[in-house]
Amino acid sequence: MPKFQTSPTTPTKSTHDRGPTPYFHGRRRILQNFIKQLENSAQQKDGTIFLIQGAPGVGKTALLYECGKLARERKWQVADIHPDALWNTAALMRSLGRGDEFETSERTGAVDIKLAKGGYTSVPVPRTTISILKEADIPLLLILDEAQILGISGKPPTEQAIHATNTLKEIHNGSLERSVVLLAAGLGTTLDAFGFLGISRFAEGCFVELGALSKESERAVIHDWLTKKGGVKGDPTAWIDMIVQETHQWPRHVHSYAKHAAEHLKENDGIMTSQGLSAVIELGQEGRKQYYKQRVGKFYGDQLQCLVGSISNNPLGEPISRLAIISSLAQTYDDKAEDLLEDFIEKGILEKNGKGLSIPIPSMQTWLQKNYGSKSGIFPRDKSAP
């Protein structure tokens, strides 16, 4: 029986605002549903796919990490995978920590397994990802982040698409005679990507459209940053009250503002001042602006101006029909309007919500309207740009 490795149990260092968060709060119902799926799968020795979909900055990666922790606590093997692990046996072996276990034999066309006492013995090459997934009894959680690329740059080559589809169906239908759960997360096109690969319906509680934090969770996250990281002296309620006016319960903004606040406090012996709070708010606003610039970086100003024009009369966060947006875009872009709309959805600027389309981050809608809502043709530009 091969030995298996799991992913690290401690958070990896995240760059900027991606990855696991040190102070996680909320998402209780989602985590409860996830635990239920793990327990059912372990008892029945089957599996499923658990999909989390949401806009950029909503906290998908942090939630994946928390789910991974819960699985490890229940003695599951946990492996982070890339899309090609669904059809490429070598990629799957590497993800399972078995990348150096096999060496292909040129003489026999088989696989030479390293023996503990030295030497090798030949066995047939594993033919499919399905056969590899069946090779052990320990429950297995596969984690796939940025899963929307299954429908774009990370989609399987034509000749491998059937293997990817078969692997997903075996996991989804619990047909591997082993407890295997695929936990995937991605942007608003992820559900469509799975649909293209034959998975169009998810079990109850296994499809999540992730949104903003609750107000209680938002405040709890900021409180932890200020007290545990910043070492604040005194009651931080006033600072929290000011910060939540800026973060709008959006996880990326909560993390950014709270981190700036904690760093300021740590550098000033935990002492709160009005000047310090003003500096923190200014840093947070600049970070938020840079985040929005990155989100729209693919698009020209005139394209964004047309988008804003199509939703200008809509209240913040309220949906508008797809047809209304396309009709507005078509006045300028004719038959390219639908392609442009799909680009907006793919980049997470627009999100499907069952009733239509909307900009998922209210403060981003405000920023877009401020910078692209006029006909002046003057668009924001990074001062460092040539």
Side-chain angles (χ1 to χ4, degrees):
M1 183 69 67
K3 293 182 179 180
F4 294 90
Q5 300 175 1
T6 61
S7 301
T9 57
T10 55
T12 54
K13 291 184 179 179
S14 61
T15 57
H16 305 292
D17 52 12
R18 284 192 54 81
T21 176
Y23 308 116
F24 185 91
H25 288 273
R27 314 303 195 190
R28 291 181 182 177
R29 183 175 298 179
I30 298 169
L31 293 174
Q32 288 171 352
N33 285 339
F34 178 71
I35 291 171
K36 181 179 178 181
Q37 294 303 322
L38 291 183
E39 292 174 344
N40 289 343
S41 180
Q43 291 171 2
Q44 300 173 19
K45 207 171 183 179
D46 61 11
T48 191
I49 299 175
F50 196 101
L51 177 59
I52 300 167
Q53 182 172 277
V58 76
K60 298 183 294 296
T61 301
L63 182 55
L64 290 184
Y65 178 78
E66 294 301 315
C67 289
K69 281 204 309 185
L70 291 171
R72 292 186 186 93
E73 290 170 1
R74 288 159 177 77
K75 309 304 181 185
W76 280 59
Q77 179 191 359
V78 179
D80 296 310
I81 66 171
H82 296 292
D84 59 345
L86 297 174
W87 65 85
N88 184 306
T89 56
L92 179 58
M93 294 286 278
R94 288 193 297 271
S95 297
L96 294 174
R98 300 172 60 189
D100 61 350
E101 184 176 330
F102 297 118
E103 293 184 1
T104 304
S105 168
E106 295 180 1
R107 287 185 301 100
T108 64
V111 164
D112 289 345
I113 300 181
K114 295 179 182 179
L115 300 177
K117 296 182 179 180
Y120 295 89
T121 184
S122 294
V123 298
V125 177
R127 294 182 179 273
T128 66
T129 50
I130 292 173
S131 66
I132 294 173
L133 291 174
K134 288 182 174 182
E135 285 182 356
D137 292 328
I138 181 174
L140 172 64
L141 175 67
L142 302 172
I143 300 180
L144 174 61
D145 201 0
E146 301 293 346
Q148 76 279 353
I149 67 173
L150 276 171
I152 319 168
S153 59
K155 64 182 179 182
T158 302
E159 65 275 11
Q160 300 292 350
I162 187 62
H163 297 299
T165 295
N166 289 341
T167 301
L168 287 172
K169 286 185 175 179
E170 290 287 314
I171 296 172
H172 195 53
N173 296 331
S175 307
L176 292 168
E177 300 178 353
R178 178 188 182 187
S179 301
V180 179
V181 171
L182 171 62
L183 172 64
L187 298 179
T189 56
T190 307
L191 185 62
D192 293 337
F194 274 87
F196 295 145
L197 292 172
I199 308 299
S200 57
R201 185 174 65 86
F202 290 79
E204 182 178 353
C206 287
F207 174 63
V208 176
E209 292 188 279
L210 200 61
L213 292 169
S214 68
K215 291 183 179 180
E216 294 76 15
S217 297
E218 176 187 37
R219 295 183 71 89
V221 171
I222 299 169
H223 183 273
D224 278 359
W225 273 100
L226 301 188
T227 56
K228 296 178 181 180
K229 181 72 173 180
V232 66
K233 294 177 180 177
D235 183 359
T237 299
W239 274 45
I240 295 174
D241 289 343
M242 287 296 296
I243 291 172
V244 297
Q245 293 181 37
E246 298 281 327
T247 53
H248 306 289
Q249 301 168 244
W250 198 252
R252 187 270 173 194
H253 297 333
V254 173
H255 179 279
S256 176
Y257 277 77
K259 183 179 179 183
H260 284 307
E263 290 173 346
H264 173 85
L265 289 170
K266 190 173 183 179
E267 292 171 359
N268 290 274
D269 298 321
I271 298 173
M272 296 176 287
T273 65
S274 57
Q275 294 88 348
L277 179 57
S278 296
V280 166
I281 297 298
E282 185 176 345
L283 286 171
Q285 290 174 341
E286 181 60 27
R288 192 172 65 187
K289 181 171 67 175
Q290 291 302 319
Y291 170 70
Y292 294 153
K293 284 184 176 181
Q294 291 174 20
R295 297 311 321 164
V296 304
K298 173 181 178 179
F299 302 97
Y300 291 104
D302 57 277
Q303 294 173 322
L304 295 167
Q305 192 176 63
C306 283
L307 172 64
V308 171
S310 71
I311 61 172
S312 59
N313 296 324
N314 254 45
L316 293 181
E318 288 298 311
I320 187 171
S321 74
R322 172 181 172 275
L323 182 59
I325 296 177
I326 287 179
S327 297
S328 179
L329 295 177
Q331 295 178 25
T332 302
Y333 301 104
D334 299 321
D335 58 349
K336 299 294 184 180
E338 289 202 33
D339 290 339
L340 181 56
L341 176 61
E342 290 303 314
D343 286 342
F344 285 134
I345 296 172
E346 178 189 320
K347 296 299 292 183
I349 296 171
L350 287 174
E351 183 178 62
K352 301 175 184 177
N353 60 14
K355 297 181 181 179
L357 294 162
S358 62
I359 296 174
I361 313 173
S363 56
M364 184 175 186
Q365 183 170 338
T366 300
W367 179 83
L368 284 168
Q369 288 174 333
K370 176 182 177 182
N371 290 286
Y372 298 96
S374 69
K375 299 295 183 180
S376 65
I378 300 174
F379 308 112
R381 182 183 180 193
D382 192 330
K383 293 180 180 178
S384 64

